[in-house]
């Protein structure tokens, strides 16, 4: 991940002219302005969320004025904040969460600096593999009909306050009822509303929850109904790890039909008392 973050900074922070270093290679002789990128910590999360990592970016400028630190910091935040990027095919999302320190006068390096902290979320739960009929696809279709302004395709979305993202995932199968034609399946789905502004997230969580309560059903790809049994929401839940919306659904899956060979030719054998023969 460090290499991907470094590449983003090199490409999008022109003030440092490609001078982005790891702590092991940094020192008093660094050209200024420059950036030092370090990993602060890693937090193992739920299986679907994989993990989150905390990275710090330290801009170092000549020991003149902190206005230059402000200018470089602004470019760094613009380069990484609310940006989505891939690491070995797995999507990640970066958020600026504040400074790691006060403004610092570094006498040893003869520089001015401050630490900028970024939370990096692994979005491994975006890699959903549908099985027909798929409840996640049904909710995506429902969402597209009721909230067309939301970004619904997690492989390409970039959440913003203007166009928030909504992601549905399966959390658990809570009940299976076998039937002669197939089975009834009861599942819990989680809805993740993702947007930088918490107040906007809250508005969309409320709107989506109310619409779920009104509609009662969504249509699956095989034209069958998926019924909404229970819906709850808490806009205080982590939009990446937990999802703010809990939806219990019930839908049916059909038994696969057994295929028998067609009869090619049938005739009666009168010599054997009218036996039926098939060829």
């Amino acid at each position: 991940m460090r290499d991907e973050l470094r590449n983003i900074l090199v490409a999008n922070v022109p003030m440092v002219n490609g001078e982005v270093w790891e702590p092991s290679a940094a020192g008093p002789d660094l050209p200024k302005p420059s950036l030092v990128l370090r990993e602060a910590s890693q937090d193992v999360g739920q299986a679907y969320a994989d993990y989150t990592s905390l990275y710090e970016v330290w801009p170092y400028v000549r020991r003149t004025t902190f206005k230059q630190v402000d200018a470089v910091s602004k470019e760094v935040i613009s380069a990484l904040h609310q940006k989505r990027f891939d690491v070995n095919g797995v999507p990640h999302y970066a958020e600026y969460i504040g400074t790691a320190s006060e403004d610092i006068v570094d006498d040893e390096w003869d520089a001015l600096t401050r630490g900028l902290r970024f939370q990096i979320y692994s979005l491994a739960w975006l890699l959903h593999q549908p099985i027909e009929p798929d409840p996640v696809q049904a909710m995506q279709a429902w969402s597209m009909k009721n909230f067309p302004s939301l970004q619904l395709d997690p492989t390409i979305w970039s959440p913003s306050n203007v166009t928030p993202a909504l992601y549905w995932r399966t959390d658990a199968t809570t009940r299976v009822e076998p039937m002669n034609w197939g089975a009834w399946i009861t599942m819990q789905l989680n809805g993740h509303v993702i947007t930088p502004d918490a107040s906007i997230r809250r508005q969309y969580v409320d709107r989506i929850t109310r619409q779920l309560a009104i509609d009662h059903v969504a249509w699956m790809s095989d034209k069958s109904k998926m019924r909404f049994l229970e819906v709850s929401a808490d806009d205080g839940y982590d939009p990446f790890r937990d999802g703010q919306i809990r939806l219990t659904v019930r839908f049916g899956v059909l038994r696969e039909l057994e295929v028998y060979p067609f009869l090619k030719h049938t005739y009666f054998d009168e010599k054997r008392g009218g036996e039926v023969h098939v060829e």
Side-chain angles (χ1 to χ4, degrees):
M1 185 188 304
R2 187 181 288 106
D3 289 339
E4 282 77 8
L5 292 174
R6 182 182 182 280
N7 291 337
I8 294 172
L9 293 170
V10 168
N12 295 281
V13 186
M15 290 187 68
V16 302
N17 195 30
E19 299 291 345
V20 182
W21 300 81
E22 294 185 12
S24 60
D29 297 329
L30 278 182
K32 300 177 182 65
S34 59
L35 303 175
V36 176
L37 173 66
R38 63 165 59 99
E39 183 176 6
S41 66
Q42 180 168 299
D43 177 24
V44 177
Q46 301 293 335
Y48 58 84
D50 201 8
Y51 61 83
T52 64
S53 296
L54 190 66
Y55 277 81
E56 295 177 358
V57 182
W58 291 75
Y60 283 84
V61 305
R62 295 187 182 279
R63 195 168 171 176
T64 54
T65 171
F66 276 103
K67 288 184 178 180
Q68 191 176 15
V69 179
D70 294 339
V72 177
S73 297
K74 185 177 180 180
E75 285 192 353
V76 170
I77 294 170
S78 177
L80 291 179
H81 183 46
Q82 300 168 14
K83 295 300 188 295
R84 182 184 179 281
F85 60 98
D86 288 347
V87 180
N88 298 323
V90 177
H92 290 69
Y93 185 78
E95 278 191 331
Y96 172 65
I97 59 173
T99 58
S101 69
E102 302 288 338
D103 291 343
I104 294 174
V105 178
D106 192 320
D107 293 321
E108 181 182 354
W109 288 21
D110 192 27
L112 304 178
T113 186
R114 75 167 62 106
L116 308 174
R117 308 188 88 186
F118 294 88
Q119 190 79 44
I120 312 297
Y121 299 91
S122 171
L123 306 182
W125 41 265
L126 297 182
L127 307 179
H128 174 71
Q129 299 297 325
I131 300 177
E132 294 295 334
D134 189 61
V136 169
Q137 288 183 332
M139 290 313 302
Q140 288 175 334
W142 177 90
S143 302
M144 186 177 299
K145 175 184 175 183
N146 290 282
F147 301 94
S149 64
L150 296 180
Q151 300 182 56
L152 301 173
D153 186 350
T155 62
I156 61 174
W157 59 235
S158 181
S160 69
N161 289 328
V162 177
T163 55
L166 172 60
Y167 178 76
W168 292 99
R169 66 176 177 85
T170 57
D171 182 77
T173 299
T174 58
R175 187 176 183 185
V176 175
E177 303 169 64
M179 309 294 289
N180 59 356
W181 46 263
W184 288 111
I185 296 180
T186 303
M187 299 185 73
Q188 179 179 306
L189 307 180
N190 286 9
H192 300 248
V193 180
I194 303 173
T195 187
D197 191 316
S199 64
I200 294 177
R201 285 201 302 269
R202 188 174 301 112
Q203 293 174 20
Y204 274 97
V205 168
D206 186 49
R207 289 175 56 191
I208 293 167
T209 303
R210 292 186 182 194
Q211 194 64 46
L212 289 168
I214 291 170
D215 283 2
H216 299 299
V217 299
W219 293 91
M220 306 193 79
S221 59
D222 62 358
K223 309 304 180 184
S224 64
K225 287 183 179 180
M226 181 174 74
R227 301 186 182 278
F228 305 156
L229 302 183
E230 185 177 351
V231 59
S232 62
D234 188 331
D235 57 61
Y237 284 159
D238 188 320
F240 290 97
R241 292 191 181 187
D242 305 308
Q244 306 94 325
I245 302 171
R246 303 284 191 275
L247 177 64
T248 303
V249 300
R250 186 173 186 258
F251 59 93
V253 292
L254 296 175
R255 187 188 306 276
E256 292 187 6
L257 295 177
E258 296 184 13
V259 179
Y260 298 95
F262 290 102
L263 299 180
K264 294 182 179 180
H265 180 67
T266 305
Y267 66 92
F268 291 92
D269 189 340
E270 295 181 356
K271 295 180 178 179
R272 297 189 178 184
E275 291 183 5
V276 178
H277 294 266
V278 179
E279 294 181 353

